[in-house]
Amino acid sequence: MQMHDAKRIEIMIEQIMERRLTDLLIEAGVKGFSVLPVRGGSGRSGLWSRQGQVGRAEGLSCVVCLIQPDRLDALLEAIFPVLDRHIGVVNIADAKVLRAELF
Amino acid sequence: MQMHDAKRIEIMIEQIMERRLTDLLIEAGVKGFSVLPVRGGSGRSGLWSRQGQVGRAEGLSCVVCLIQPDRLDALLEAIFPVLDRHIGVVNIADAKVLRAELF
Amino acid sequence: MQMHDAKRIEIMIEQIMERRLTDLLIEAGVKGFSVLPVRGGSGRSGLWSRQGQVGRAEGLSCVVCLIQPDRLDALLEAIFPVLDRHIGVVNIADAKVLRAELF
Amino acid sequence: MDMILTLAAQNLLSPIILCFALGVAAALARSDLNFPEAIAKGMSLYLLFAIGFKGGASVAGHGVDGQLIASLVAGVILSALLPLIAFALLRSMTKLSTLDAAAVAAHYGSISIVTFVAGSSILEAQGIEFEGYMVAVAAAMEAPAIVSALWLISRQGEGAKSMDGALMREIMLNGSIVLLVGSFVIGMVTGKDGLSEIAPFISAPFKGVLCLFLLDMGLVAGRGLARAKGAVSGATIAFGLIMPLIGAAIGLLAALVLGLSVGGAALMMVLSASASYIAVPAAMRVALPEANPAVYLTLSLGITFPFNLTLGIPLYVATASAVIGG
Amino acid sequence: MDMILTLAAQNLLSPIILCFALGVAAALARSDLNFPEAIAKGMSLYLLFAIGFKGGASVAGHGVDGQLIASLVAGVILSALLPLIAFALLRSMTKLSTLDAAAVAAHYGSISIVTFVAGSSILEAQGIEFEGYMVAVAAAMEAPAIVSALWLISRQGEGAKSMDGALMREIMLNGSIVLLVGSFVIGMVTGKDGLSEIAPFISAPFKGVLCLFLLDMGLVAGRGLARAKGAVSGATIAFGLIMPLIGAAIGLLAALVLGLSVGGAALMMVLSASASYIAVPAAMRVALPEANPAVYLTLSLGITFPFNLTLGIPLYVATASAVIGG
Amino acid sequence: MDMILTLAAQNLLSPIILCFALGVAAALARSDLNFPEAIAKGMSLYLLFAIGFKGGASVAGHGVDGQLIASLVAGVILSALLPLIAFALLRSMTKLSTLDAAAVAAHYGSISIVTFVAGSSILEAQGIEFEGYMVAVAAAMEAPAIVSALWLISRQGEGAKSMDGALMREIMLNGSIVLLVGSFVIGMVTGKDGLSEIAPFISAPFKGVLCLFLLDMGLVAGRGLARAKGAVSGATIAFGLIMPLIGAAIGLLAALVLGLSVGGAALMMVLSASASYIAVPAAMRVALPEANPAVYLTLSLGITFPFNLTLGIPLYVATASAVIGG
Ligand SMILES: Nc1ncnc2c1ncn2[C@@H]1O[C@H](COP(=O)(O)O)[C@@H](O)[C@H]1O
Ligand SMILES: Nc1ncnc2c1ncn2[C@@H]1O[C@H](COP(=O)(O)O)[C@@H](O)[C@H]1O
Ligand SMILES: Nc1ncnc2c1ncn2[C@@H]1O[C@H](COP(=O)(O)O)[C@@H](O)[C@H]1O
Ligand code: NA
Ligand code: NA
Ligand code: NA
């Protein structure tokens, strides 16, 4: 089957910032993304888990976004503001997708 | 440690089609897969989230499947029927696994 | 934006072993990881889903860990004990991260 | 007429409707108020179990008779018939495609169990009795409409996926039908004794749970409305207000033929007037994936459900009282 | 004998058992009826809290005495002893490997708290009183069986992971033990006053919640059965029916030695007859990962649990009445 | 003094406090006891809905008057004022940075609704009446503190993100405010009739649900404490014990000026003494991401919340009784 190059961007971000991040993604013109729940983790800000949590403040989300490779830099610039000051990590990987026109 | 080439296929699909997809995967002879919940997302069919949802109709699942590289094409052919008419996206990435015989 | 090589390790493991695995990761010096819920799957030990489940015994977690490439082998050695005797699979992929010092 | 207004006013100021309104308002104001999916599902399981059980226990007193059977058959016929009317109406009133029209039609043949629960709760508050087996009629009306709509499509020669066995089983054995029918049977078998054992769980707190549940439904309906802006035309919205009235009228006719009590007739009207937003959308995603969910969900959940809840039910109760009670 | 039949019939037609049966039937028919994990967990927390608290409050009336202590000790001994019997039986009756047999044996030494709750609910319905501290005995019987089974394995020289400190703590402080013991102590401290404050929450709706919970358990058991077809042999299934009877007999003996009331003896039989399907499976996945979960889960959840729920409990109650009550 | 001791002892041995203690103990012992997130959220929605509705229904009897309005205004002022005091205290007592001090200060101006619920539940147990609109005062006190704290920061010239419109809306329309105010209004509109319709859901089981909820809060607080070891200094902990006393004193003053009843004054003290751990932390993560969550969560949830729950509330009730009741 015909496959096309794409980038798979995976962003772990505080849930409270999720909406702000996805708004930036939409503004930056991405055609789609998916949000997966995260149950716990560890990082510079220490160990956390959904079980020890009150309210909305502490949880994380995992936002996965598939885009055409040439849009990567613009996208990273666009979302930099929410990534910089807030808890979270980003990773980018090469991927293939089936229908290039969707991304 | 000895590592082997594999493909990591990630399919975002409507929950209501999940069972039909995994049945096709099993028929196509894959040795395993995992299903992760998806909490929200955006695509051609617009923004959605689990919170604005009634019943089973709208949610998505993320099916992750690790396979040996030479089985990729056959697998994609096999699952094409549920991917074509229904909401969802697929991406494929190169990965390494530890014990080739499991995939 | 400046990007650095990293490895993305993804481990599907029995929930009951999750804590033991993440303890080993911390001992092995990883700087962070994230745990995502898994809702169902299939493998040598058969088909399972969270719906057919009682108690803690059967569920799986997905542990994602981003590390610097040169730490990969040491990490795999470290976590081998929990991977070997227990249900689960691991895959490793190349990825890029933004700030190398975090990993 | 006076009675209708009084009833409507009473209804609009009842806790359950105000809770629904609160939910809609919160959603439209984009508050982050929300119920976890598991809690919403848990409440709906509770409501289904409770009304099924209470219905069965009430039938246990009266026994199965010809009227029960006749009512079930009538329910199946209504469910299969209403989509044909809805489809014709949609094709003449709106510009929806054949596919979208058929999908919408399926929703209006099937039923909304929450509307049914709200209706029976209003009847109880008014002290109007109704046949306990109406809950079984509700279950019987869930699925036939789907078959009707798929038949409509296949007749048009459109490439609807043929109704396969898996889908058929999913529809007939969907969770809410099984729970409703199952708890109805358990209620029937254990009767009054069974009911009194668990009444502190399924009767006393019932209305309060319904309040919270409708608050969540309001959030869902409000968010749906906000997202669906522009997805449906004025004519389509008009359909969402007219079709329940047509359904209710036909339901009343059926009730007269069956010889139901005032309460039973009112509930038959409620069932015919209501539109599914759980079982049918799910079936449509499988069988008619090309039909646009925004259209059918907006109509059934955003237009018809609130209409029935606020104005429809009091209207149906008043009409049934006038026609049969008088 | 007559009494047993009457009791069994009564039990089989009670709402809680019919709900369980509905769940099994729905699962076997592959309906998509299901309870969210969080709701199932929430109901089990509720049930544990309620029975713990009620047990404690009832002890508060009587005070701690020698019989309480003796019963706890007896529970620990039973839990540690039964796996040895189960293991011997499995090795002679079935072809299970040493590992699998030891894992299964651990389940039968430990207990199923839901079976206990169902038992005490049946006693209450019959107006048979029982010692409030039996709930503490239940907690005491959860863990020792695991230690026994691991000892069995290590004696066989098989490479079981040695019981490490982390595992030990997990077992002793597992959520259900802590909640059961904790609410028992709170009930004891606050006594009748505390109970009356929260009785509308933990007493009145208790049976109804138990119905829904057993409906979900039926779904789980049914799905487990459907998946496990062929995982266990006929002889293994026979073990799942014989072992509870042996357990119950030994439990009765212990009750006689302890001088328990009819109700207390019946519950001691229920505890000894029941098999764990939460705490022990979790411990086995850590300590004996090579043992096959399909075997022990099918046996404890698919065979022994339904057997106890439907036939076992009435049998144990009748026997206890005949032996002690007479 | 005697009264305080008696009250404190009574309170410490009440089921709700013992449940909280059980949760803390289980968490510190690292038991795996835990409540699913959805259940905890569901219980908190229930509690908010119930106290809002009951407050509104009680006001329906009395009608809206000047004292109600004055109390709301007082609440807003207290919430805006207390952070300034807290900030000054923190800067002089502790070595916290400006950012951290401002973030902590915001928490102490705002309120903990669970502490409020516990307070009103203790008042009810003692038969002390209170103004139904205190629940509206609670809602009014949630947000102003945040604005105050951000103003403090911007005055210091530190780079706090300016309070944007999105954040403002999030704060004012956060779920708990909307649910509390909404159900308060519904209770007011439907009055006693509405209350009696749903009392078996929102009144009878209320205390029992509160017990389970506080058990979960204990687990959360205990886990937070265990993780936060070393995150806060002795002086900071001292602040967490002194600030509620200062808040309570100012709250009492306000109550005297407003002419509230003993119960109303006690609740005004409770509100002023309590610290937010839901709405404010969320706002801080957005507006002051550089402030350390470990500091403010440990203080408000790990120190002040348990203090108020166990010793604070009885102290405030006794003081209000002495000052106003006497
Ligand atoms: N190396 C990593 N691999 C995967 N996830 C990470 C990693 N570092 C941090 N995270 C996730 O990001 C969250 C916040 O990280 P931090 O900002 O470093 O505290 C953590 O709780 C993890 O869920
Ligand atoms: N580019 C993308 N990256 C990640 N997920 C996507 C992307 N496009 C679509 N999705 C997911 O697939 C779902 C359906 O997409 P669509 O069929 O385009 O409406 C969306 O709601 C997302 O969850
Ligand atoms: N090839 C695979 N791709 C993705 N996930 C897998 C794969 N094989 C196994 N898994 C996951 O790992 C779990 C245990 O696998 P196993 O140990 O083979 O039974 C399964 O239930 C799946 O969730
Ligand atoms: Na209808
Ligand atoms: Na046992
Ligand atoms: Na305060």
Side-chain angles (χ1 to χ4, degrees), chain C residues 20 23 36 47 62 65 75 89:
Chain C
R20 286 170 175 83
D23 282 352
L36 280 72
L47 200 73
C62 171
C65 186
L75 187 145
V89 297

Side-chain angles (χ1 to χ4, degrees), chain B residues 32-34 64-66 103, chain C residues 12 41-45 48 60 87-89:
Chain B
F33 56 83
S34 298
V64 174
C65 185
L66 297 161
F103 300 92
Chain C
M12 312 278 177
S42 176
R44 284 159 300 155
S45 53
W48 68 275
L60 264 80
I87 286 177
V89 297

